[in-house]
Amino acid sequence: MTSVDFNPVDDNYFISGSIDGKVRIWEVLGCRVVDYTDIREIVTAACYRPGGKVAELFAISSCKITEIFKMS
């Protein structure tokens, strides 16, 4: 994992990004992945916005930030 951030309004969930290009939303109490997406780029940062419903993901390609992905 390259990045982890807990949901600011529900601490039962956190988001993680990793070198394999997958972004996962985890349920703490269930110890399981509840959703994921594959952006096919190294995820360098994953964070929730303050409301907790949208996450921003940053990926690096050719040593620069290429896109911001939003999940709801």
Side-chain angles (χ1 to χ4, degrees), residues 2-60:
T2 56
S3 182
V4 172
D5 189 35
F6 274 86
N7 187 306
V9 295
D10 187 347
D11 60 3
N12 186 42
Y13 296 96
F14 68 92
I15 190 169
S16 69
S18 63
I19 292 172
D20 68 0
K22 290 189 175 65
V23 179
R24 296 171 177 92
I25 297 177
W26 299 81
E27 179 186 41
V28 176
L29 295 177
C31 299
R32 65 188 184 105
V33 174
V34 294
D35 199 5
Y36 77 95
T37 189
D38 188 349
I39 65 170
R40 302 172 198 256
E41 297 274 347
I42 295 173
V43 179
T44 57
C47 60
Y48 281 100
R49 286 193 172 180
K53 294 188 185 244
V54 175
E56 294 184 346
L57 314 172
F58 298 86
I60 287 196

